[in-house]
Structures are given as C-alpha cells and as structure tokens.
C-alpha cells in the first residue's frame, strides 16, 4: 500500500518533468514549486473581499444600531465568517485542491457534481449581477439613457474581467495589488468626509438608530455577505506554502477586509444616508473618482468570480483547463445582464447562499476525520459518498428552516450542523467500506 502523503508533494515530482496543461492546476493539487508567498496570497484574498456591494449590508446595519453596538455586531459576524473561511483555507493549503475537487473526496466523484453545479452556477449568476450593476451605474454617472450605451459598457467590462480570470492567479494578483490600495485610500477619504458631515467622531457616536433589527438578523447579515464566496477560499489558499499562511491570509481578507467594507457602508448610511461609496462620490460631484472606485473594485472581484466558475466547470466536466469554462461562464453571465435578468437574480442567489455553507462544513469535518495525515497517493474516491451527502441535505434543510422561521443564524447553523453530524457519524460508523482499506494503510 502507498503511504499517505500531501497531494501537492506527490504531484510536484510527477509534474516537474514538463509544463502543466494549465498553470493554475484547476483539477490537480498545486505542486510545492508553484506555491506563492504569504504577501501574494494576502493581496489576492484582500482584493477579493474589498467589494463595494458589501457596503449595502453595512448600510442596513448602520441605521439600526448605536455605534458601539454596531461595532460588536460587525466584530461578531466577521469573527464567525473569518473562522469558517480560515478553516476552509487551511484545508485548501493542506490538500492543494480547489473546493470542488476536494468535494470529490467528501461526496464521491459523482456526488461532487452537486458542489460544482451549486458553486459554479451561483458564481455565474453573481457575475451577471455585477456586470449589470457596472452598466447601470456607469450610465447613471455619465447621464446615458440608451440601452446601447449600457450594453457596450457591460460587454467591455466583461471582456476585461474574463481576460483577467483566464490569466488565473497571476492576473488576479496584479489587479489586486494595484487597485486595492487605491480603493482603500478612496474609502478612507470618504470616511473622513463623513466624519466632517456629522461633527467628527463624537458626532458619529452620538447618532441614534432610526430603524430596528434583531442582533441575530444583523449577525446573519454580516456572515451572509461573503460566506458563500468564502466556501471557495481553497481556490486561492491552495497556493499557500503552509496551512498557517492560509489561515492568516483568510483572517486578513475575510475578517479585516470584509469587516471594513461593512463598517464603511454603515458610516456612509449614518452620515450621507447612502451606503455605497460610489454613489456618495457621485453625489459629491466626484464622478471620475466614483467610476475609478466602481471599475477598480468590481473588476478584481468579478475576475475572482469568473475564476471560481472556471475551476468548477473544469471539475464538473473533468477537463484539465479552466479557460474554456471561464469564457463560457462569462458569456452566460453577460447575456443575463444584457437581458436585464440580473435585476431579479439577487434574492434567488442569496437563497442559494443558505445551501452552500453546509458543503464547506462537510468538507472541513471530512478532512479532519479522514485526511489530516494526507490523501494517499493514487487513491481514487468512491463514486458517491452517500453518508456525507445525507449530512449535507440535513444541514442545508436546517439552515433553510432557520431562515424561514427567523431563528438563529442560517449560514452558521448549516455549517455547525454539517460539521457536527459528519464527525458524529464518522465516530459511530468509522470509515465507509470503500475507504476502510485505505484508512488502515495510513495509520
């Protein structure tokens, strides 16, 4: 029997003899020689979460809580999100695999198609929403009324994002490296103007809530901003040189970066009654800077989205290249935006966000139970891992019930239920018969 090894270690020897088909290794472990330094990984993940639409979630919170209670809500929600994504990121770094490929080991080679369809399909929908948003906000800024003008912007922006995603990790790194500091500088300047608007920090703290929201709903809002996208953190953390690097990069991106965007949106809503800093810049007469913030921010975030459905497509159809699926998904997403469907997708895609986090919960728990010592070299997953699929179905149902009855935090309930049930069943029944022989060889 072969011994258990890190998949990246096993792959690095076999792939060193020749160039890989795709330098981003969409369906195979990232070998050690292709891993990236911590700074590079942190830049990519921070660029992923510095996302202006997240401000709209912050805007909803900003008018519902006093400042210090708001800070507690943001800290709690960001901590939950950060811990979950850091765990997913750790799995990605240890295995060298994307989320959808890791799902092969947790759900089986056929069962993993559920993950590819859910994650890839949802990301294509969000891609279309963002493309449509770019077209609408650009037309609003420049006073364009014609459909042709909006459509031209959508197509041009989509081509730019598609090319960036086709370049893979390297393309997203350079875009994030250039745009993220500029976006943060603009955001900090708007915060400074916001403080002037209310008489400084003391004035901001003294503003009283104008609406009401429960603490549970508020924390759910914070967690929900990026929990679905965070489930795909392994797409990038698989390039980390160690599990600890992946964890800290996720903390920077999803706890710090996402938390800042929510806080910025809350401050904008309190002071200018508008959570989106792009629209605040428009209202201040700074249309040019507003467009810079709009394009710079959504360019890198949507390129990450295109990359995510590219690697999901490669897994779904078992192809070694992501580029055809990046291009195909971008075409579909752009078509959705051009037909105006993006205006009706947001609620539906948000609902899907309830069903995605339990996938991550099963993958995390399955890794901890079965793969901590590494995936055995040459191991072939079984076609369907029915037990883990059943756990996912139960956890997703509990998360959905939580949302329907407004009890608890749906994404958190889905994740915790998936982890707890997976570990419980593994402790009671052990490995499945298909894995038992492999498991004994790794001890």
């Amino acid at each position: 029997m072969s011994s258990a090894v890190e998949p990246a270690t096993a792959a690095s020897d076999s792939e060193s003899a020749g160039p890989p088909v795709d330098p981003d290794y969409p369906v195979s472990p990232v070998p050690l020689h292709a891993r990236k330094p911590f700074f590079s990984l942190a830049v990519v993940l921070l660029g992923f979460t510095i996302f202006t639409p997240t401000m709209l979630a912050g805007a909803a919170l900003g008018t519902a809580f006093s400042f210090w209670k708001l800070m507690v809500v943001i800290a709690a929600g960001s901590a939950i999100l950060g811990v979950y994504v850091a765990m997913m990121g750790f799995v990605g770094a240890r295995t060298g695999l994307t989320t959808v490929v890791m799902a092969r080991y947790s759900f089986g080679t056929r069962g993993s198609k559920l993950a590819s369809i859910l994650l890839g399909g949802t990301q294509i929908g969000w891609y279309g929403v963002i493309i449509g948003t770019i077209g609408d906000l650009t037309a609003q800024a420049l006073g364009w009324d014609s459909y042709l003008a909006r459509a031209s912007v959508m197509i041009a922006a989509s081509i730019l994002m598609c090319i960036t995603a086709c370049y893979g990790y390297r393309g997203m790194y350079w875009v994030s490296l250039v745009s993220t500091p500029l976006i943060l500088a603009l955001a900090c300047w708007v915060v400074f103007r916001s403080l002037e608007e209310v008489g400084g920090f003391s004035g901001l703290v003294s503003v009283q809530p104008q609406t009401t929201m429960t603490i549970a709903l508020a924390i759910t809002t914070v967690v929900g901003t990026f929990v679905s996208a965070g489930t795909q953190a392994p797409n990038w953390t698989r390039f980390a040189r160690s599990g600890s690097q992946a964890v800290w990069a996720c903390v920077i991106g999803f706890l710090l970066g996402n938390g800042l965007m929510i806080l910025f949106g809350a401050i904008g809503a309190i002071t200018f009654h508008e959570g989106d800093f792009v629209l605040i810049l428009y209202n201040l007469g700074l249309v040019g800077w507003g467009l810079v913030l709009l394009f710079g921010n959504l360019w890198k975030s949507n390129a990450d989205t295109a990359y995510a459905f590219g690697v999901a497509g490669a897994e779904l159809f078992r192809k070694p290249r992501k580029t055809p699926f990046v291009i195909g998904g971008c075409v579909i997403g752009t078509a959705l935006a051009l037909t105006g469907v993006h205006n009706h997708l947001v609620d539906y895609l948000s609902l899907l966000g309830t069903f995605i986090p339990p996938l991550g919960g099963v993958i995390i728990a399955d890794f901890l139970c079965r793969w901590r010592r590494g995936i055995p070299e040459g191991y072939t997953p079984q076609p369907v891992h029915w037990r883990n699929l059943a756990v996912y179905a139960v956890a997703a149902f509990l998360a959905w019930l939580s949302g329907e009855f407004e009890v608890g935090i749906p994404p958190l309930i889905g994740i915790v239920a998936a982890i707890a049930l997976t570990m419980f069943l593994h402790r009671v029944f052990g490995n499945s018969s298909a894995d038992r022989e492999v498991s004994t060889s790794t001890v």
Side-chain angles (χ1 to χ4, degrees):
M1 288 292 177
S2 60
S3 61
V5 295
E6 288 290 337
T9 304
S12 61
D13 294 332
S14 63
E15 292 183 340
S16 60
V21 174
D22 189 313
D24 279 276
Y25 308 92
V27 292
S28 61
V30 177
L32 296 180
H33 68 79
R35 300 294 179 109
K36 308 296 182 182
F38 172 74
F39 176 78
S40 170
L41 189 65
V43 166
V44 170
L45 286 177
L46 186 61
F48 185 38
T49 57
I50 300 297
F51 184 55
T52 51
T54 302
M55 292 180 176
L56 299 179
L61 304 180
T63 57
F65 297 96
S66 63
F67 180 79
W68 293 116
K69 186 173 288 188
L70 171 69
M71 295 299 292
V72 171
V73 167
I74 294 176
S78 297
I80 293 170
L81 179 64
V83 168
Y84 167 65
V85 176
M87 293 173 70
M88 287 296 301
F90 179 81
V91 172
R94 289 296 302 275
T95 62
L97 299 172
T98 65
T99 302
V100 290
V101 175
M102 190 62 200
R104 291 180 185 175
Y105 297 91
S106 298
F107 299 103
T109 53
R110 295 178 183 172
S112 66
K113 305 310 177 188
L114 170 67
S116 297
I117 292 170
L118 270 179
L119 294 172
T122 304
Q123 292 301 298
I124 288 175
W126 278 118
Y127 183 90
V129 169
I130 298 306
I131 290 296
T133 300
I134 288 175
D136 291 345
L137 289 180
T138 302
Q140 177 183 339
L142 301 177
W144 294 342
D145 295 325
S146 72
Y147 170 79
L148 180 61
R150 293 199 310 276
S152 299
V153 172
M154 293 180 197
I155 293 172
S158 183
I159 291 173
L160 186 65
M161 295 167 185
C162 183
I163 292 173
T164 303
C166 287
Y167 270 98
Y169 185 99
R170 181 178 59 176
M172 290 178 290
Y173 168 71
W174 284 108
V175 171
S176 296
L177 186 65
V178 173
S179 64
T180 301
L182 177 60
I183 291 165
L184 286 174
L186 279 172
C188 290
W189 181 82
V190 175
V191 169
F192 177 76
R193 286 293 305 268
S194 299
L195 293 176
E196 287 185 337
E197 194 76 11
V198 293
F201 181 73
S202 60
L204 179 67
V205 173
S206 65
V207 174
Q208 296 300 309
Q210 299 173 350
T211 59
T212 59
M213 181 183 295
T214 65
I215 294 291
L217 178 58
I219 294 177
T220 299
T221 301
V222 176
V223 175
T225 53
F226 253 89
V227 70
S228 297
T231 303
Q232 304 196 68
N235 293 352
W236 298 276
T237 62
R238 63 199 176 98
F239 288 95
R241 292 174 178 171
S242 68
S244 61
Q245 285 189 356
V247 168
W248 284 110
C250 289
V251 167
I252 290 173
F254 286 84
L255 195 154
L256 179 62
N258 192 65
L260 276 177
M261 298 310 287
I262 292 174
L263 177 61
F264 289 162
I267 292 175
I270 293 170
T271 55
F272 287 106
H273 307 290
E274 173 59 65
D276 192 333
F277 277 15
V278 173
L279 297 179
I280 290 176
L281 288 168
Y282 286 0
N283 293 335
L284 291 173
L286 302 172
V287 173
W289 284 114
L291 289 174
V292 168
L293 182 62
L294 174 69
F295 276 92
N297 176 259
L298 298 184
W299 175 9
K300 59 185 176 53
S301 296
N302 229 25
D304 290 340
T305 300
Y307 181 86
F309 59 66
V311 296
E315 193 286 326
L316 181 63
F317 293 97
R318 304 185 71 84
K319 299 295 183 181
R321 293 180 60 84
K322 68 184 181 302
T323 302
F325 302 101
V326 170
I327 295 172
C330 289
V331 170
I332 295 171
T334 305
L336 291 173
L338 290 172
T339 55
V341 175
H342 66 280
N343 293 316
H344 309 286
L345 280 177
V346 175
D347 291 340
Y348 171 68
L349 293 171
S350 297
L351 176 64
L352 285 181
T354 300
F355 299 103
I356 289 175
L359 279 172
V362 173
I363 290 173
I364 290 169
D366 190 61
F367 173 82
L368 294 175
C369 290
R370 297 200 293 159
W371 310 117
R372 280 181 296 177
R373 299 180 183 180
I375 298 173
E377 184 178 359
Y379 169 70
T380 301
Q382 57 187 293
V384 180
H385 198 304
W386 292 107
R387 194 171 72 198
N388 283 349
L389 280 173
V391 168
Y392 165 73
V394 172
F397 178 68
L398 292 175
W400 176 79
L401 277 182
S402 171
E404 286 295 301
F405 292 99
E406 298 182 356
V407 177
I409 303 168
L412 180 61
I413 287 175
I415 293 167
V416 172
I419 292 175
L421 285 172
T422 301
M423 288 187 162
F424 173 76
L425 292 177
H426 180 81
R427 179 173 292 272
V428 172
F429 297 106
N431 293 333
S432 64
S433 59
D435 294 327
R436 196 165 291 132
E437 182 181 355
V438 171
S439 178
T440 57
S441 71
T442 65
V443 176

